[in-house]
Amino acid sequence: MIYEAPSFDNSMMHAQTQNAVMMLKETPADIAKPYTPTPEIESKQIDIEKFSEKLSRISAYRTTAKCAKSIRIALQTAGAKFTQHPVAASDWGGTLEQIGYREIDPAFDSPMAGDIYIIHRTKQHIYGHIAGFSGTQWVSDFKQNSYDVYKDKTVTYTYYRLG
């Protein structure tokens, strides 16, 4: 059956820029490959207060498995600009360094607002984990009771502080 569509003359219209969104299918083998950040990330001063406020607004007390997304949104709210970013939480180290964070020795006993830690991927947790300190508690995609969310003594951490 043939349908007639109304004709539309768009010769007087301006061409619109189209944004393309590409979705990639990931497999566990792809996840095991570390993300390599590109130099296309624009560095901008990050407002720790805005970062902390955004984290404090997260109200869940159980994970939604979206920790990297939550931290990315909090960083963007605070002024960070990304043209590309990793999906897996364990791959965020290079991106954090490009926007002004530096790796420091873990300071879980004296965290400062804006601190971020990464738990590296394991066989049980192929994406790893990332969380930020709001000034009062560790938050990822949920309000954490502590930094030790996996309760696994074999996990390794990388700890970052702005500046």
Side-chain angles (χ1 to χ4, degrees):
M1 180 178 255
I2 299 174
Y3 292 95
E4 290 187 30
S7 64
F8 179 72
D9 181 12
N10 61 1
S11 62
M12 299 300 287
M13 302 293 289
H14 294 288
Q16 293 184 1
T17 305
Q18 294 185 2
N19 294 329
V21 175
M22 187 179 346
M23 303 282 293
L24 299 176
K25 181 180 176 186
E26 292 183 355
T27 63
D30 295 330
I31 295 165
K33 297 175 189 171
Y35 171 81
T36 306
T38 63
E40 299 169 6
I41 295 175
E42 180 184 322
S43 181
K44 183 180 176 184
Q45 186 65 29
I46 295 173
D47 184 332
I48 295 297
E49 188 174 313
K50 287 182 181 178
F51 178 74
S52 296
E53 286 173 14
K54 186 67 175 177
L55 290 179
S56 295
R57 285 191 226 128
I58 293 173
S59 60
Y61 284 92
R62 297 182 143 242
T63 186
T64 60
K66 304 269 188 218
C67 59
K69 180 179 179 181
S70 294
I71 297 302
R72 176 184 54 81
I73 291 170
L75 287 166
Q76 288 175 318
T77 299
K81 302 287 183 197
F82 306 102
T83 56
Q84 292 184 358
H85 57 78
V87 173
S90 65
D91 295 334
W92 268 84
T95 303
L96 291 174
E97 289 175 356
Q98 288 185 2
I99 61 171
Y101 276 82
R102 60 182 167 74
E103 184 179 337
I104 64 169
D105 289 333
F108 293 117
D109 57 341
S110 57
M112 294 175 57
D115 285 1
I116 295 175
Y117 76 82
I118 294 172
I119 299 176
H120 300 278
R121 65 177 42 90
T122 67
K123 288 181 183 179
Q124 292 80 26
H125 306 281
I126 59 174
Y127 287 103
H129 183 69
I130 188 169
F133 193 70
S134 68
T136 58
Q137 77 181 116
W138 288 104
V139 182
S140 54
D141 55 327
F142 68 102
K143 292 184 182 294
Q144 301 178 186
N145 292 327
S146 77
Y147 70 90
D148 190 17
V149 293
Y150 287 168
K151 307 296 185 213
D152 180 351
K153 300 296 181 201
T154 64
V155 298
T156 57
Y157 296 87
T158 306
Y159 198 102
Y160 296 90
R161 183 167 287 157
L162 193 60

